[in-house]
Amino acid sequence: MTINRSWWLIAAAAAIVAAPLVVPGLGGEFKGSDDQGTDAIAAARPGYRPWFQPLWKPPSGEVESLLFSLQAALGAGFLGYVIGRRQGRRPEERDNVADR
Amino acid sequence: MHIMEGYLPVAHAAGWFAASAPFVAAGAVRLRRILAERPQAKMTLAAAGAFTFVLSALKMPSVTGSCSHPTGTGLGAVVFGPAVMAVLGTIVLLFQALLLAHGGLTTLGANVFSMAVAGPWVSWAVWRAASALGASTAVAVFLAAALGDLATYAVTSAQLALAYPDPSSGIPGALIKFGGIYAVTQIPLSIAEGLLTVVVVNALSGRADAVDEIQVLSGGVRK
């Protein structure tokens, strides 16, 4: 039952995230909210200069997306490893899940 | 929820560092104690950190037509209590500040407070309240993760409103403005995070529908 429920939950989460992209009228520019926040500060305080700059910036969008992907991949990879270990370790309990 | 580098006035930046520091220090102490007393929880602890690592890298589209990312801090807060997430969240925020120019070192205190302190504490409080009211593990975990995520973005909005009050409508006006950018965008994403957290708690515990799912994960029940 739980395996089934997990798939439904994943599908629902995917639908929530995909809806703005496919449902007409929900879309927009899909700018990052962090950037919009920064823009709102600039609009409220014209001429505001950040008093500190990042020590290092990814030189291009490609490098930035590489590092973001790396962050997600490392996290997902490790999470998958732990889940796999747990599931593999208890075959007797896994078999009790009726819908598998 | 990342306030960008250099975008908080010096006094605010310093104030949020002072507010966050005790939580991170207490979290480090708690983390050491959990690892010493319940070594069997080590893998789950690392998995909770990994979950935050993944989710905070994923910028998702929202119904408001902008993109934002979940935080993933609810999982660890429910299983291990909110204190340890101050440490794990700080690690994630440092990674993003140093390697992605996302967030910043001067704004680290403020960002730690919203994502690694306020969010986890709200998650934990919601988890306790929902459990006490008799909600099932799945429902309580969902509510905890979703509301903790939302709380993080509400706090970010408040931090910016305090730093940049509207010239005419003051702090309340600025709160509505920043809340519109951060918190409203976050509503559907926090629901998605809640759903995913239920799935991951279940997968990690490896025990379908066990009443003590969370206790198994926290290492409270020796296997």
Side-chain angles (χ1 to χ4, degrees):
Chain A
M1 185 203 105
T2 312
I3 299 303
N4 232 335
R5 186 184 74 183
S6 292
W7 287 119
W8 279 112
L9 292 177
I10 290 171
I16 289 170
V17 174
L21 298 176
V22 294
V23 176
L26 284 184
E29 289 179 24
F30 295 115
K31 241 186 125 179
S33 61
D34 290 339
D35 292 335
Q36 288 183 323
T38 310
D39 291 349
I41 295 170
R45 296 285 188 283
Y48 180 85
R49 288 280 180 91
W51 54 278
F52 196 82
Q53 294 296 326
L55 299 177
W56 184 80
K57 269 187 181 173
S60 72
E62 278 70 21
V63 179
E64 187 183 1
S65 73
L66 165 71
L67 289 166
F68 265 117
S69 315
L70 190 66
Q71 187 190 333
L74 287 174
F78 187 76
L79 203 55
Y81 167 72
V82 178
I83 291 174
R85 252 174 69 118
R86 297 262 161 94
Q87 302 279 339
R89 200 180 257 175
R90 286 197 215 91
E92 74 291 347
E93 287 193 17
R94 200 176 48 191
D95 291 341
N96 290 339
V97 178
D99 289 317
R100 167 96 34 137
Chain B
M1 44 62 61
H2 295 79
I3 300 178
M4 290 301 168
E5 187 74 281
Y7 269 93
L8 275 184
V10 180
H12 286 254
W16 290 113
F17 264 102
S20 295
F23 287 98
V24 177
V29 172
R30 179 115 183 91
L31 200 58
R32 285 181 56 121
R33 210 170 66 204
I34 290 176
L35 288 175
E37 289 173 359
R38 297 179 257 160
Q40 71 274 25
K42 192 168 70 184
M43 289 302 263
T44 313
L45 207 48
F51 188 60
T52 297
F53 221 58
V54 190
L55 284 200
S56 61
L58 300 178
K59 295 184 211 169
M60 302 172 168
S62 170
V63 288
T64 53
S66 52
C67 284
S68 191
H69 62 86
T71 61
T73 56
L75 173 64
V78 165
V79 177
F80 295 107
V84 296
M85 291 318 291
V87 178
L88 299 181
T90 301
I91 294 170
V92 175
L93 287 166
L94 262 178
F95 177 93
Q96 295 185 320
L98 292 174
L99 291 181
L100 291 156
H102 207 64
L105 295 177
T106 60
T107 51
L108 186 66
N111 291 334
V112 165
F113 194 85
S114 63
M115 181 174 138
V117 176
W121 277 91
V122 167
S123 285
W124 181 76
V126 169
W127 155 254
R128 295 298 295 262
S131 301
L133 292 172
S136 70
T137 301
V139 170
V141 166
F142 167 78
L143 290 174
L147 293 174
D149 176 328
L150 205 54
T152 290
Y153 281 78
V155 168
T156 300
S157 307
Q159 287 170 330
L160 287 176
L162 286 173
Y164 299 103
D166 195 77
S168 52
S169 54
I171 291 176
L175 190 58
I176 291 170
K177 180 176 68 184
F178 288 114
I181 292 172
Y182 286 103
V184 179
T185 299
Q186 201 62 22
I187 291 171
L189 303 186
S190 61
I191 294 171
E193 170 169 352
L195 298 175
L196 288 178
T197 306
V198 173
V199 172
V200 171
V201 162
N202 215 266
L204 275 177
S205 74
R207 284 195 182 185
D209 277 345
V211 199
D212 56 352
E213 211 167 46
I214 298 298
Q215 244 199 328
V216 171
L217 283 182
S218 69
V221 175
R222 286 197 177 264
K223 293 185 277 279

